[in-house]
Each structure stands twice: as C-alpha cells, then as structure tokens.
Amino acid sequence: MFAKNDSGVWTPVFAKYDLGTAFAAGIWNVGPGGGRFAPVMRPVLSLEETLSELKKAGCTHVEFHDTEAEPEDAEKIMAAVNNAGMQVWMCTANLFKRGPEFASGNFGSPVAQSRAEAVRRTKDYIRTGIEVFHASVYVYWNGSNGYGGPMQVNYRDMYRWTAEGLSEVVAWMLEEYGPERALPIAIEPKPNEPVNWGAPGDCGETLAIISLMPQEYRPFVGTNLETCHAHMAGKRFAAELGLAAAADKLFYVHLNSGTGLKYDEDLAFGDNDFGVAVETVYALMEYGYSGVVGIDVQPLNTDTPDQQAESVARSIRNFRRALTICRERVNPDELNALRSAANRAGLSDWFARITSGMS
Ligand code: GLT
Ligand code: MN
C-alpha cells in the first residue's frame, strides 16, 4: 500500500507496531538441518507444526518463498496461517534454488531467458502476495545474481538489467493494482554466497540500482537489510540501516548475526556480539522504524527436536533484552552530548556501562 506524502511522493504505508511487539520469521527458519557438512538433526515438521513453533517462539507474522507456498496452494496455506492466528508480512520468489534457470543470476543474468523468468516469477508472486496473502512487503534477495570471476559479465549491463527488470515489475504492478494496492518491493543485498560476488552486495549498491530506475518507479522500491549480510560485506549493520533511512528506503529488516567476514551463518540475533544487537535496536528507535521486525536465522546443528525454533525464540528474547537496555539505560541527551563532543573514549566507556549494566 502506498499513499502520497506532503510533497506528493508515493510513500509505503506499513501497519505500525511498537518495537518488540511484532516479529516475523521465514518458514525456512525452522528445519531439520543437514547440508554439505552436517547430518539431518531433527524431524521435518508439517506447515501447521512449523507455524505453531514460530508462534510459540514469539512470531506474530510469517514469511514465504514461492517454492514453500506455491501460488496454486496459497489459499490453503493462508487458511493455515489464519488458523494459527498469524499473518503474512513478507513473501518472495525463489530466484536462486528453483532450477537451472537461475544458475547464472536472475534480473542481471547475462542470459536473456533467466532475466525474463525472474520478471515473470516476481510478477506472479507479487500477485499472490497482494491477492491472497495480503502481505505488507515483497522481498527480492539477490541470491545467484552476480558473478564468479573475471570477464563473466558486462558489469554495466548487469546493473542496468537488474534495474530494468525491477522497473518492468513495478510498471506492471502499478498498471494492474494502482499505487494504493501496490506491494512495496524491498531489495535484500548480500555480497557473496551462493555467488562469489553478489549484486547488489550492500545498501549503497542497492540504492544505486534504485537510482538507475526511471524516477516514477523509484518510490516503490526500497531495501531489506540483513545483519549477517552486512557483516559479510565488512559493513557496520547500524550504519547500513542509517544509510537506508537517510534515503527513506528502510522498508524492512532481517535480523540475525554472524561472526565476521565469513559465510551466511544466520545465527540468532544477539548471538556472538550482543553489542551489535543493542546498537541495532537503538538505530531502529532513532530512525523511527515501526514495521514488523523480521528475523532470518537457522537452527544450530546441536539444537534438539524440541528446539526447532529456538534460534527464532532467542532472537526475539535478545531483541527485547536490547530494547530494555535502550529504553531504560540510554539517556539520549547524554549520548548526543558525547557524540557532538566527539568524545569517542567517553562513548566507548558509556557503551560498556549500558550493555553490562555496571558502572
Ligand atoms: C535465504 C537468504 C535470506 C533471504 C531469503 C529470502 S532466502 O535464506 O539467506 O537472507 O532473506 O529469499
Ligand atoms: Mn534474509
């Protein structure tokens, strides 16, 4: 949904929630485990069981790929979501692991058929998101979009094609539904994995792609920023949030954590470095984020069958712990005085004091 702001620009209208009261997680965030280096650890749950686990973990909303909730099954799935007393916040077409058509990328692939297929799948699932799920945001995660080594793509064309594909989707969506019913599209960047270089790799590249779109389509596209992806790109997550907010493009967030410039560890939000969680929650407060908070995590290999959604649950507990610290221990005047005096030693000491709760 979009409405015109005071300057006459179409702006997304999201349902508003107090921070800490509404959380979403992906249906893929609960699972049996297993992969290249790990055995399957837990039983596979039915959709109903998965929804119930997510609800117990504290989620009010859920997210789907078109591969987990195919358009033709969407009505049935929506009934299960309603039965669970939940709502769909986000939906996204799988443009990375559906089949060989996306092996070389999607919107920016050098293969024309892959680009066309990305546009087609995206339109299809936006339709399902609007008509069946009544979703609030559509996410485009780059996935396989990018390159693996020298000379594999014409980089200029790759960025232009990515912008053109998204423009084609927006043009269709506006024609089909009008701006009032249009689903905000949030691009989720990631710098690598599954490709060696993903495009867009960070918030700046995402904003650059949006700037390549015709002006009339730009308001309908923003960002979905994920903690671990930002760390993999060597960025400070809160700074990425700040950049998106400065451009009025902070449409959605995927919170989790990781241990550095590595792979997509998808650890629970607050794991490994709780300070990142505190800074993230404070950034969301400072930038006035009021949508549902998305969690995108995986269970640990050691999680037992009764800990299917423990990574989601711990993320929510850590979010609320960080929120309590931000609300009860941060005095914004004190913080801003330290900032405007550029007292970095004082800021470091202050941060240790508020996160530890000790003087
Ligand atoms: C995948 C990825 C996530 C994206 C999902 C949406 S799928 O798990 O690691 O960050 O948000 O396509
Ligand atoms: Mn994500």
Side-chain angles (χ1 to χ4, degrees):
M1 269 171 56
F2 284 79
K4 279 193 174 165
N5 69 9
D6 295 343
S7 329
V9 178
W10 289 106
T11 310
V13 183
F14 294 110
K16 284 190 192 306
Y17 296 90
D18 285 335
L19 279 182
T21 64
F23 294 94
I27 211 80
W28 64 91
N29 293 161
V30 174
R36 241 175 111 195
F37 305 114
V40 167
M41 301 296 295
R42 292 165 295 275
V44 176
L45 300 184
S46 67
L47 171 66
E48 286 73 14
E49 289 168 330
T50 303
L51 291 170
S52 146
E53 288 296 321
L54 289 175
K55 186 149 191 209
K56 267 194 280 167
C59 292
T60 48
H61 293 70
V62 69
E63 305 181 359
F64 289 109
H65 287 99
D66 59 349
T67 38
E68 294 136 359
E70 298 272 359
E72 50 275 24
D73 301 331
E75 306 261 5
K76 218 174 59 206
I77 286 165
M78 191 59 194
V81 172
N82 285 335
N83 269 341
M86 300 175 88
Q87 287 172 269
V88 178
W89 186 258
M90 179 276 248
C91 65
T92 175
N94 183 331
L95 305 184
F96 50 98
K97 203 182 168 180
R98 169 174 285 282
E101 65 269 39
F102 298 127
S104 62
N106 40 68
F107 286 112
S109 165
V111 181
Q113 256 175 319
S114 303
R115 299 198 295 277
E117 188 60 9
V119 170
R120 190 179 75 77
R121 291 275 177 200
T122 303
K123 286 179 184 172
D124 253 26
Y125 217 45
I126 286 179
R127 180 188 297 287
T128 304
I130 293 175
E131 295 185 8
V132 185
F133 291 148
H134 309 292
S136 293
V137 66
Y138 176 89
V139 163
Y140 161 52
W141 171 52
N142 55 355
S144 59
N145 210 49
Y147 46 95
M151 312 283 274
Q152 294 187 353
V153 292
N154 174 322
Y155 305 109
R156 178 200 59 200
D157 291 349
M158 178 192 71
Y159 286 114
R160 282 185 181 161
W161 282 329
T162 302
E164 277 167 25
L166 289 163
S167 298
E168 196 181 326
V169 168
V170 173
W172 163 84
M173 178 171 69
L174 293 177
E175 185 144 330
E176 196 82 357
Y177 297 102
E180 289 86 355
R181 286 188 75 196
L183 195 53
I185 298 174
I187 304 176
E188 178 178 335
K190 185 176 176 185
N192 59 272
E193 199 199 19
V195 262
N196 307 63
W197 283 273
D202 62 15
C203 181
E205 264 185 67
T206 305
L207 297 180
I209 287 171
I210 297 171
S211 79
L212 297 176
M213 297 173 66
Q215 176 114 39
E216 59 193 299
Y217 300 144
R218 288 181 214 158
F220 302 93
V221 184
T223 68
N224 174 37
L225 300 178
E226 176 165 319
T227 323
C228 189
H229 296 181
H231 292 170
M232 291 164 70
K235 304 283 180 174
R236 214 168 163 89
F237 183 55
E240 293 278 274
L241 294 175
L243 177 58
D248 285 327
K249 291 297 188 190
L250 186 55
F251 283 15
Y252 193 38
V253 290
H254 263 178
L255 304 187
N256 58 16
S257 76
T259 61
L261 288 167
K262 297 184 181 174
Y263 63 98
D264 200 358
E265 293 161 286
D266 279 338
L267 295 174
F269 180 61
D271 277 6
N272 182 58
D273 185 348
F274 185 69
V276 168
V278 174
E279 187 184 36
T280 298
V281 171
Y282 197 72
L284 294 176
M285 288 168 68
E286 279 197 301
Y287 309 142
Y289 184 82
S290 58
V292 165
V293 168
I295 305 290
D296 191 2
V297 295
Q298 287 297 314
L300 300 174
N301 283 340
T302 47
D303 286 351
T304 56
D306 61 349
Q307 290 178 309
Q308 289 266 6
E310 165 55 21
S311 291
V312 176
R314 190 164 67 262
S315 297
I316 292 175
R317 287 197 298 275
N318 281 339
F319 187 98
R320 291 189 173 135
R321 288 171 178 133
L323 186 63
T324 301
I325 288 175
C326 293
R327 284 184 175 154
E328 294 180 4
R329 297 197 202 141
V330 176
N331 172 346
D333 294 337
E334 183 189 8
L335 170 60
N336 290 329
L338 287 164
R339 281 173 169 176
S340 44
N343 184 351
R344 292 187 179 174
L347 281 159
S348 295
D349 196 65
W350 170 89
F351 192 67
R353 188 152 43 83
I354 63 142
T355 47
S356 68
M358 289 184 262
S359 57

